[in-house]
Amino acid sequence: MIDVGAGGMAIYVPQLYLEHRELAEARGVPPNKYLLGLGNRRMSIIPIWEDSVTMAANAAAQLLEQTGTHPEEIHQLVVSTESGVDHSKPVASFVQGLLGIGSRCRIYEIKHACYGGTAGIVNSIDWIYRNYTTSRKALVITTDIARYGFESAGEPTQGAGAVALLLTVKPRLFSVDTSLNGIFSKDVFDFWRPTGHRVPLVDGKFSIDCYLMALEESVAHFRANLGIHKGKLIESLDYFVYHMPFTQMAHKAHRHLVNLEHPDLSEADREKLCTETFRVKVEPGLLGAREVGNIYTGSVYMGLVSLLETEREKCEGKRVGVFSYGSGCGAEFFLCHLKKGLAGPIQGLRFQEQMARRRKVSVEEYVEIYSKNRREIRYHPRDVLPYKDPFTRFVFTGFRDHKRQYA
Ligand code: HMG
C-alpha cells in the first residue's frame, strides 16, 4: 500500500502573550466568561519584529533541522495563510529566500480562511502520491495572526502562530489516505475580511452554526467513504482534534457529534458519553488553543501538536479524527493514522518549552502594539537583532524601497 503523510511537524509561537484574566478585567467582563465560557487562558501577541513570514520561516527552520532535511530536498513549498503581506508576492517566496530552498521547487500561497492549511496538505499529499517513485517532499506551512477589533466579541479569541509539516512517502509521524476524506463547502458570510480591512467582520453566532453544519456534513461524507455505520464513529477513533477558534468550540463540536451519532440515547446518557469521551479523546489536544488562542490555518494542526506532546508515546499507532473548518466556508474531516516509534518526532516538538520562553504583556502594551501601523515602522536591523532566540531565528526589520526586509 502507498503510504504518504507527515514525516515531521514543528510549531512556532511568537514571543509575547496576554492573560485573558487581565483582558477581561480591562473590558469589564467577568473573567470566567473568557476562562470558562470560551475556555481560554492566554493568547499570543505578535510583536512588531515578527510577522506571518518570520513565523512561517521559524517553524520551518526547526522542522528541517529536526528531520535532517536539506532545503534542496523540498520540491513543493506551500504557505497557507489569511495574513498575507503582499497582494502579489506570496509568503512562500519570502520563506524560500530565508530558508535557502532551491529553484526546482513549486511554491505558492493558499487562502481559504482557516481551511487553507488543510487544502495545502491534502493537495501536497496527492502530489506526492502521483510522484511516489521519485520520493518527492513537500513543505506545507500554516501561518496566521488572528486579529479582531479592540473591545469586539472576537477580541478574546485572538492569537498568532505557525505550524510546518514535512510531507513525504513512508512518513515517520502519521499517514493520511485522502480518498476517505469527508468534504463540505458552501457559500456563506460568517466571517470575512474585505480587502483593505485590518480586522474581520464576523457574524459570531452564525459562524458557530456554519461550523457545526460543516462538521455534520463532512462527518456524514467521511462515514460513508469509510463504510462506518452511524453510532460507531466515536468508538472507532481514538482521538478527535477539532478546529479550535477557542477551546470551548471543541466542546460544542464534540457534543454535536455525540448527538448526531446517538440520537436514540436519552439526553442524560448522551451527556455522560460526551463527558467521558471528551476527557479521553479530545482534552489532550486542547493545550495550544488554551495557551496560544486561535491561529486560524494552523489551529487544528496545533491541536495535533498538543495531542502529541500531551499523550507522548501513549498515542502511538492510534487513529485521530481531524476536523478542519474555514469560514466562507470549507471543511474536511479526515483520519490521521499515527505511526509507531514516535519518541523522536515528539521530542523535537518543544512546544511547552517554547511557550515558557514567552514574555507577558499588559493590556496597555498589547493595545499599543496592535495600534501601530506596520508600514510606519522604520528601524534599523540592529534594534531587533537582540530579539532573536533559539526559536526566533528570523525577524522582520522594516521596509526599504517598499520591500520587506528580514534578518
Ligand atoms: P459573545 O457573544 O461575546 O459570547 O462571543 P457569549 O455571550 O456567547 O458567551 C460565550 C460563552 O461564555 C457562552 O457559553 C456563555 O454562556 C459563557 P455557551 O453558551 O456558548 O456555551 N459565559 C460565561 N461562562 C462562565 N461565566 C460567565 C459567563 N458569561 C458568559 N460569567 C463568540 C462569542 C464566539 C460569538 C465571539 O467570541 C466571536 O465572534 N468569535 C469569533 C468568531 C468565531 O470564533 N467563530 C467560531 C466558528 S467560525 C471559525 O471557527 C472560523 C474562524 O476560525 C475564522 C476562519 O476560518 O478564518 C473564526
PDB file of all heavy atoms in Angstrom, residues 50-58 83 85 90-92 94-95 98 143 394 404 406:
ATOM      1  N   GLU A  50       7.979  40.578  14.390  1.00  0.00           N
ATOM      2  CA  GLU A  50       7.578  39.278  13.838  1.00  0.00           C
ATOM      3  C   GLU A  50       6.379  39.504  12.922  1.00  0.00           C
ATOM      4  O   GLU A  50       5.610  40.452  13.110  1.00  0.00           O
ATOM      5  CB  GLU A  50       7.184  38.316  14.958  1.00  0.00           C
ATOM      6  CG  GLU A  50       8.313  38.012  15.938  1.00  0.00           C
ATOM      7  CD  GLU A  50       7.982  36.850  16.862  1.00  0.00           C
ATOM      8  OE1 GLU A  50       7.581  35.792  16.359  1.00  0.00           O
ATOM      9  OE2 GLU A  50       8.108  37.014  18.081  1.00  0.00           O
ATOM     10  N   ASP A  51       6.193  38.630  11.942  1.00  0.00           N
ATOM     11  CA  ASP A  51       5.017  38.688  11.073  1.00  0.00           C
ATOM     12  C   ASP A  51       4.722  37.285  10.530  1.00  0.00           C
ATOM     13  O   ASP A  51       5.367  36.309  10.966  1.00  0.00           O
ATOM     14  CB  ASP A  51       5.192  39.729   9.944  1.00  0.00           C
ATOM     15  CG  ASP A  51       6.344  39.390   9.000  1.00  0.00           C
ATOM     16  OD1 ASP A  51       6.860  38.262   9.061  1.00  0.00           O
ATOM     17  OD2 ASP A  51       6.716  40.260   8.181  1.00  0.00           O
ATOM     18  N   SER A  52       3.806  37.177   9.578  1.00  0.00           N
ATOM     19  CA  SER A  52       3.443  35.829   9.102  1.00  0.00           C
ATOM     20  C   SER A  52       4.621  35.163   8.386  1.00  0.00           C
ATOM     21  O   SER A  52       4.741  33.938   8.364  1.00  0.00           O
ATOM     22  CB  SER A  52       2.207  35.879   8.199  1.00  0.00           C
ATOM     23  OG  SER A  52       2.413  36.775   7.136  1.00  0.00           O
ATOM     24  N   VAL A  53       5.524  35.976   7.816  1.00  0.00           N
ATOM     25  CA  VAL A  53       6.708  35.414   7.134  1.00  0.00           C
ATOM     26  C   VAL A  53       7.683  34.840   8.158  1.00  0.00           C
ATOM     27  O   VAL A  53       8.142  33.698   8.032  1.00  0.00           O
ATOM     28  CB  VAL A  53       7.417  36.503   6.286  1.00  0.00           C
ATOM     29  CG1 VAL A  53       8.747  35.986   5.753  1.00  0.00           C
ATOM     30  CG2 VAL A  53       6.526  36.974   5.154  1.00  0.00           C
ATOM     31  N   THR A  54       8.011  35.634   9.183  1.00  0.00           N
ATOM     32  CA  THR A  54       9.010  35.143  10.161  1.00  0.00           C
ATOM     33  C   THR A  54       8.465  33.926  10.908  1.00  0.00           C
ATOM     34  O   THR A  54       9.205  32.972  11.157  1.00  0.00           O
ATOM     35  CB  THR A  54       9.429  36.237  11.173  1.00  0.00           C
ATOM     36  OG1 THR A  54       8.286  36.666  11.904  1.00  0.00           O
ATOM     37  CG2 THR A  54      10.078  37.419  10.479  1.00  0.00           C
ATOM     38  N   MET A  55       7.165  33.959  11.248  1.00  0.00           N
ATOM     39  CA  MET A  55       6.606  32.798  11.969  1.00  0.00           C
ATOM     40  C   MET A  55       6.711  31.539  11.104  1.00  0.00           C
ATOM     41  O   MET A  55       7.076  30.460  11.591  1.00  0.00           O
ATOM     42  CB  MET A  55       5.148  33.046  12.369  1.00  0.00           C
ATOM     43  CG  MET A  55       4.990  34.079  13.458  1.00  0.00           C
ATOM     44  SD  MET A  55       3.346  34.047  14.203  1.00  0.00           S
ATOM     45  CE  MET A  55       2.304  34.447  12.828  1.00  0.00           C
ATOM     46  N   ALA A  56       6.387  31.678   9.800  1.00  0.00           N
ATOM     47  CA  ALA A  56       6.452  30.526   8.888  1.00  0.00           C
ATOM     48  C   ALA A  56       7.883  30.011   8.786  1.00  0.00           C
ATOM     49  O   ALA A  56       8.144  28.807   8.898  1.00  0.00           O
ATOM     50  CB  ALA A  56       5.936  30.938   7.504  1.00  0.00           C
ATOM     51  N   ALA A  57       8.828  30.947   8.588  1.00  0.00           N
ATOM     52  CA  ALA A  57      10.237  30.535   8.433  1.00  0.00           C
ATOM     53  C   ALA A  57      10.769  29.945   9.737  1.00  0.00           C
ATOM     54  O   ALA A  57      11.548  28.981   9.716  1.00  0.00           O
ATOM     55  CB  ALA A  57      11.078  31.731   7.995  1.00  0.00           C
ATOM     56  N   ASN A  58      10.359  30.508  10.875  1.00  0.00           N
ATOM     57  CA  ASN A  58      10.835  29.997  12.169  1.00  0.00           C
ATOM     58  C   ASN A  58      10.309  28.582  12.446  1.00  0.00           C
ATOM     59  O   ASN A  58      11.027  27.749  12.998  1.00  0.00           O
ATOM     60  CB  ASN A  58      10.437  30.955  13.298  1.00  0.00           C
ATOM     61  CG  ASN A  58      11.286  32.219  13.282  1.00  0.00           C
ATOM     62  OD1 ASN A  58      12.465  32.176  12.929  1.00  0.00           O
ATOM     63  ND2 ASN A  58      10.700  33.346  13.640  1.00  0.00           N
ATOM     64  N   SER A  83      -3.163  35.885   6.446  1.00  0.00           N
ATOM     65  CA  SER A  83      -2.438  37.066   6.940  1.00  0.00           C
ATOM     66  C   SER A  83      -1.297  37.389   5.978  1.00  0.00           C
ATOM     67  O   SER A  83      -0.157  37.654   6.410  1.00  0.00           O
ATOM     68  CB  SER A  83      -1.861  36.790   8.335  1.00  0.00           C
ATOM     69  OG  SER A  83      -2.787  36.127   9.158  1.00  0.00           O
ATOM     70  N   VAL A  85       1.241  39.208   3.313  1.00  0.00           N
ATOM     71  CA  VAL A  85       1.906  40.504   3.498  1.00  0.00           C
ATOM     72  C   VAL A  85       1.945  41.303   2.198  1.00  0.00           C
ATOM     73  O   VAL A  85       2.457  42.415   2.168  1.00  0.00           O
ATOM     74  CB  VAL A  85       3.341  40.312   4.044  1.00  0.00           C
ATOM     75  CG1 VAL A  85       3.308  39.759   5.462  1.00  0.00           C
ATOM     76  CG2 VAL A  85       4.170  39.415   3.130  1.00  0.00           C
ATOM     77  N   PRO A  90       3.877  35.944  -2.842  1.00  0.00           N
ATOM     78  CA  PRO A  90       3.407  35.032  -1.790  1.00  0.00           C
ATOM     79  C   PRO A  90       4.377  34.958  -0.614  1.00  0.00           C
ATOM     80  O   PRO A  90       5.593  35.126  -0.793  1.00  0.00           O
ATOM     81  CB  PRO A  90       3.336  33.676  -2.500  1.00  0.00           C
ATOM     82  CG  PRO A  90       4.290  33.770  -3.628  1.00  0.00           C
ATOM     83  CD  PRO A  90       4.343  35.221  -4.044  1.00  0.00           C
ATOM     84  N   VAL A  91       3.833  34.694   0.564  1.00  0.00           N
ATOM     85  CA  VAL A  91       4.665  34.479   1.758  1.00  0.00           C
ATOM     86  C   VAL A  91       5.679  33.375   1.463  1.00  0.00           C
ATOM     87  O   VAL A  91       6.823  33.415   1.907  1.00  0.00           O
ATOM     88  CB  VAL A  91       3.766  34.119   2.977  1.00  0.00           C
ATOM     89  CG1 VAL A  91       4.608  33.667   4.157  1.00  0.00           C
ATOM     90  CG2 VAL A  91       2.910  35.320   3.372  1.00  0.00           C
ATOM     91  N   ALA A  92       5.261  32.401   0.642  1.00  0.00           N
ATOM     92  CA  ALA A  92       6.136  31.263   0.328  1.00  0.00           C
ATOM     93  C   ALA A  92       7.439  31.719  -0.333  1.00  0.00           C
ATOM     94  O   ALA A  92       8.491  31.110  -0.123  1.00  0.00           O
ATOM     95  CB  ALA A  92       5.393  30.276  -0.578  1.00  0.00           C
ATOM     96  N   PHE A  94       9.092  34.598   0.229  1.00  0.00           N
ATOM     97  CA  PHE A  94       9.958  35.108   1.296  1.00  0.00           C
ATOM     98  C   PHE A  94      10.584  33.927   2.048  1.00  0.00           C
ATOM     99  O   PHE A  94      11.765  33.939   2.363  1.00  0.00           O
ATOM    100  CB  PHE A  94       9.150  35.940   2.300  1.00  0.00           C
ATOM    101  CG  PHE A  94       8.638  37.264   1.761  1.00  0.00           C
ATOM    102  CD1 PHE A  94       7.350  37.383   1.275  1.00  0.00           C
ATOM    103  CD2 PHE A  94       9.453  38.385   1.771  1.00  0.00           C
ATOM    104  CE1 PHE A  94       6.871  38.598   0.811  1.00  0.00           C
ATOM    105  CE2 PHE A  94       8.986  39.609   1.308  1.00  0.00           C
ATOM    106  CZ  PHE A  94       7.692  39.719   0.826  1.00  0.00           C
ATOM    107  N   VAL A  95       9.767  32.912   2.321  1.00  0.00           N
ATOM    108  CA  VAL A  95      10.245  31.753   3.087  1.00  0.00           C
ATOM    109  C   VAL A  95      11.310  31.007   2.285  1.00  0.00           C
ATOM    110  O   VAL A  95      12.324  30.568   2.830  1.00  0.00           O
ATOM    111  CB  VAL A  95       9.063  30.821   3.459  1.00  0.00           C
ATOM    112  CG1 VAL A  95       9.554  29.536   4.093  1.00  0.00           C
ATOM    113  CG2 VAL A  95       8.101  31.541   4.398  1.00  0.00           C
ATOM    114  N   LEU A  98      14.506  32.914   2.761  1.00  0.00           N
ATOM    115  CA  LEU A  98      15.076  32.822   4.115  1.00  0.00           C
ATOM    116  C   LEU A  98      15.650  31.435   4.405  1.00  0.00           C
ATOM    117  O   LEU A  98      16.668  31.307   5.070  1.00  0.00           O
ATOM    118  CB  LEU A  98      14.013  33.185   5.166  1.00  0.00           C
ATOM    119  CG  LEU A  98      13.577  34.656   5.179  1.00  0.00           C
ATOM    120  CD1 LEU A  98      12.398  34.876   6.122  1.00  0.00           C
ATOM    121  CD2 LEU A  98      14.739  35.558   5.601  1.00  0.00           C
ATOM    122  N   THR A 143       0.456  29.770   8.651  1.00  0.00           N
ATOM    123  CA  THR A 143       0.950  30.888   9.477  1.00  0.00           C
ATOM    124  C   THR A 143      -0.103  31.980   9.523  1.00  0.00           C
ATOM    125  O   THR A 143      -0.622  32.374   8.477  1.00  0.00           O
ATOM    126  CB  THR A 143       2.294  31.421   8.924  1.00  0.00           C
ATOM    127  OG1 THR A 143       2.736  32.497   9.763  1.00  0.00           O
ATOM    128  CG2 THR A 143       2.220  31.909   7.490  1.00  0.00           C
ATOM    129  N   PHE A 394      14.467  34.250  12.694  1.00  0.00           N
ATOM    130  CA  PHE A 394      14.306  35.318  11.702  1.00  0.00           C
ATOM    131  C   PHE A 394      13.429  36.416  12.290  1.00  0.00           C
ATOM    132  O   PHE A 394      12.431  36.128  12.960  1.00  0.00           O
ATOM    133  CB  PHE A 394      13.625  34.777  10.431  1.00  0.00           C
ATOM    134  CG  PHE A 394      14.389  33.647   9.797  1.00  0.00           C
ATOM    135  CD1 PHE A 394      13.978  32.332   9.955  1.00  0.00           C
ATOM    136  CD2 PHE A 394      15.531  33.898   9.041  1.00  0.00           C
ATOM    137  CE1 PHE A 394      14.682  31.282   9.377  1.00  0.00           C
ATOM    138  CE2 PHE A 394      16.240  32.858   8.458  1.00  0.00           C
ATOM    139  CZ  PHE A 394      15.819  31.552   8.632  1.00  0.00           C
ATOM    140  N   ARG A 404       9.928  44.415   1.992  1.00  0.00           N
ATOM    141  CA  ARG A 404      10.078  43.957   3.386  1.00  0.00           C
ATOM    142  C   ARG A 404      11.476  43.382   3.570  1.00  0.00           C
ATOM    143  O   ARG A 404      11.965  42.646   2.710  1.00  0.00           O
ATOM    144  CB  ARG A 404       9.031  42.872   3.705  1.00  0.00           C
ATOM    145  CG  ARG A 404       7.611  43.347   3.579  1.00  0.00           C
ATOM    146  CD  ARG A 404       6.644  42.219   3.846  1.00  0.00           C
ATOM    147  NE  ARG A 404       6.391  42.073   5.266  1.00  0.00           N
ATOM    148  CZ  ARG A 404       5.471  42.773   5.930  1.00  0.00           C
ATOM    149  NH1 ARG A 404       4.725  43.660   5.289  1.00  0.00           N
ATOM    150  NH2 ARG A 404       5.294  42.585   7.217  1.00  0.00           N
ATOM    151  N   TYR A 406      14.235  41.288   6.116  1.00  0.00           N
ATOM    152  CA  TYR A 406      14.339  40.308   7.221  1.00  0.00           C
ATOM    153  C   TYR A 406      15.795  40.049   7.552  1.00  0.00           C
ATOM    154  O   TYR A 406      16.677  40.206   6.708  1.00  0.00           O
ATOM    155  CB  TYR A 406      13.653  38.995   6.820  1.00  0.00           C
ATOM    156  CG  TYR A 406      12.170  39.168   6.601  1.00  0.00           C
ATOM    157  CD1 TYR A 406      11.652  39.418   5.322  1.00  0.00           C
ATOM    158  CD2 TYR A 406      11.283  39.132   7.669  1.00  0.00           C
ATOM    159  CE1 TYR A 406      10.298  39.620   5.120  1.00  0.00           C
ATOM    160  CE2 TYR A 406       9.925  39.334   7.484  1.00  0.00           C
ATOM    161  CZ  TYR A 406       9.437  39.573   6.205  1.00  0.00           C
ATOM    162  OH  TYR A 406       8.102  39.777   6.024  1.00  0.00           O
TER     163      TYR A 406
END
